[in-house]
Amino acid sequence: MMTTIQTLDTPDGPFTLLADAEGRVLSSGWTDDPERILGRLRAADRPHDVRAGETEAAAAVRAFYDGDLAAIDSVPVVQHGTELRHAGWAALRRIAPGEPLSYTEFATALGRPSAVRAAASICARNAPALFVPCHRVLRGDGSLGGFAWGVEVKRALLAREAGAPLS
């Protein structure tokens, strides 16, 4: 099955996404390095036939950056993992823009309030960044915490979603 990779220019830097033949996003992030995007996938899940081209999801990325924050919500994604991770990734997609949760609140939303480390792991193993908005989860003290694509990108995304002016 052919997989398409595409890099777009965004205000937060180059954004690359990898989508399967059905248009589902497998991996994405703020880089122009295809190897970093492929590296977000387990070796067993990495596609063998990857070609540069136009993806259906690119329109949602452009719309998001043009102010339609809900544009990413309906983009289909595919991830491989445990039942808990799938539940977590689905829960991340339900976090509203501008209303981030703490890792503790995210664990509680998963029905496992004491599983804060598991909640953090779910975010860390999220391959289709932006479409599954793990950037909307913060440390308990409200600080940003980590982000695979850099804290400055996370800060800019959260500011954009909160309607704050970006410098």
Side-chain angles (χ1 to χ4, degrees):
M1 173 174 10
M2 188 185 73
T3 308
T4 304
I5 196 162
Q6 179 180 9
T7 300
L8 308 166
D9 289 325
T10 76
D12 297 323
F15 182 82
T16 299
L17 54 103
L18 180 72
D20 68 12
E22 296 173 39
R24 301 173 303 179
V25 176
L26 308 175
S27 182
S28 54
W30 289 266
T31 181
D32 57 5
D33 181 358
E35 292 305 315
R36 279 195 69 199
I37 297 302
L38 290 166
R40 298 290 297 166
L41 302 172
R42 294 182 314 174
D45 299 325
R46 289 183 195 139
H48 300 290
D49 186 14
V50 178
R51 298 187 183 154
E54 182 76 19
T55 63
E56 292 176 31
V61 175
R62 290 182 185 107
F64 174 87
Y65 277 103
D66 285 342
D68 180 1
L69 302 179
I72 59 172
D73 295 347
S74 61
V75 173
V77 299
V78 174
Q79 298 205 73
H80 302 279
T82 64
E83 187 176 320
L84 178 61
R85 285 192 185 142
H86 280 280
W89 294 324
L92 286 170
R93 293 195 93 176
R94 292 190 297 270
I95 301 172
E99 298 179 22
L101 299 179
S102 69
Y103 286 105
T104 301
E105 291 168 328
F106 179 51
T108 300
L110 291 174
R112 298 185 180 200
S114 63
V116 176
R117 286 187 183 174
S121 176
I122 288 165
C123 292
R125 287 179 170 67
N126 176 44
L130 186 62
F131 304 101
V132 179
C134 59
H135 65 273
R136 295 179 186 159
V137 181
L138 308 172
R139 288 186 176 154
D141 64 1
S143 63
L144 294 179
F147 187 54
W149 305 106
V151 174
E152 288 308 312
V153 171
K154 184 172 185 172
R155 183 183 332 276
L157 290 168
L158 291 170
R160 182 174 286 101
E161 292 178 348
L166 298 171
S167 53

